[in-house]
Amino acid sequence: ETDIDFCRHEHISIARRFTGGGTVYHDEGNLNFALCMDQSQRYVPRTLPELYWTFIGGIARALQQIGVPACFDANRSCLRIRGKKITGTAGWIKRGVSFVHGTLLISADLEQLARALDVPPGQPAYYREPNVWRCLESRRDIVTTIVREVPNPPTIEELKNAIVRFIERISGQTVERGELSADERTVAEALYRDRYSRPEWNLGYRHQVSNLTATESLQ
């Protein structure tokens, strides 16, 4: 779902996330958030629909409080402003953990986004595993950014603080900046070495096709 040659020319890294789903474009105008929660906590949902309703819907309400007219779209588990998409989200529930992450298009370069995700005809297809196509295709949508839709938009710090205040309210805990423990750093380095730095993980296994069509999905 990406123009691989264009991304390489523009020094745009191509990475695969373990939650799968459609393609997301990141630049410095895009805020990413991730919540990894223990299901033993009372406020943590144990199903994906509840997870999206609780946290993506909650972020919508947090943004509304600082002047961003975001609304939660339960059908696509995303946030919209006047019908246009400003987030991509994905979730994962397993082994006593509820995990949800997403994006927030604040001032991202939408022209670059569209160009990077315009697949040229005949580009080789890539499979997650040899001869196994497991990826979900992106669903076509119209995207926008907060700065395009909101007069006098909040700063990135104001947006971050609104999300943090929401997390504190729902969890009943204080969010504090932390550092990786020695064990966490060791695991992270091993994951990067054995998985996230490897082309077989990020691009998959190449299969030549003759008539791959371009996707119009942007987020």
Side-chain angles (χ1 to χ4, degrees):
E1 295 190 338
T2 63
D3 184 331
I4 296 174
D5 288 340
F6 175 80
C7 289
R8 286 171 175 163
H9 182 267
E10 296 296 316
H11 305 290
I12 299 172
S13 299
I14 298 175
R16 168 186 158 196
R17 64 182 188 272
F18 79 91
T19 49
T23 306
V24 176
Y25 171 84
H26 296 305
D27 62 16
E28 293 184 352
N30 188 16
L31 177 65
N32 302 322
F33 56 87
L35 300 170
C36 185
M37 298 164 287
D38 189 331
Q39 290 176 355
S40 66
Q41 297 294 316
R42 184 180 58 190
Y43 67 93
V44 179
R46 299 189 179 187
T47 69
L48 282 175
E50 291 176 309
L51 190 64
Y52 290 128
W53 268 108
T54 301
F55 289 97
I56 307 304
I59 289 174
R61 295 189 294 274
L63 297 182
Q64 292 167 10
Q65 292 173 358
I66 58 171
V68 178
C71 63
F72 175 58
D73 178 351
N75 291 325
R76 295 205 174 183
S77 305
C78 67
L79 300 181
R80 297 185 184 275
I81 297 179
R82 287 180 279 276
K84 299 177 182 178
K85 191 174 178 181
I86 60 168
T87 66
T89 64
W92 183 86
I93 291 181
K94 204 171 186 179
R95 301 173 187 169
V97 171
S98 291
F99 178 81
V100 63
H101 62 168
T103 67
L104 193 59
L105 291 170
I106 302 171
S107 59
D109 185 338
L110 297 186
E111 288 72 25
Q112 186 87 329
L113 180 155
R115 181 65 185 82
L117 302 188
D118 183 14
V119 181
Q123 177 175 275
Y126 289 84
Y127 287 65
R128 276 195 176 188
E129 298 174 7
N131 302 313
V132 178
W133 182 268
R134 295 177 54 204
C135 299
L136 294 176
E137 292 184 356
S138 292
R139 291 188 284 185
R140 298 178 182 182
D141 219 323
I142 298 173
V143 300
T144 188
T145 64
I146 290 175
V147 299
R148 288 192 177 197
E149 303 295 330
V150 180
N152 302 314
T155 65
I156 290 182
E157 287 305 314
E158 289 171 331
L159 291 163
K160 288 180 181 179
N161 290 335
I163 294 172
V164 167
R165 289 194 298 269
F166 156 69
I167 295 170
E168 290 180 330
R169 286 195 302 271
I170 196 171
S171 68
Q173 302 176 43
T174 300
V175 174
E176 299 178 355
R177 185 179 296 275
E179 300 291 338
L180 292 178
S181 67
D183 287 343
E184 288 170 334
R185 185 172 295 280
T186 297
V187 172
E189 290 172 349
L191 282 170
Y192 178 76
R193 180 186 65 248
D194 299 334
R195 175 181 289 184
Y196 296 124
S197 65
R198 296 177 64 84
E200 294 84 358
W201 170 265
N202 288 311
L203 279 180
Y205 298 85
R206 177 171 170 167
H207 286 248
Q208 184 70 42
V209 295
S210 59
N211 58 348
L212 186 67
T213 57
T215 178
E216 295 179 13
S217 175
L218 299 182
Q219 178 73 358

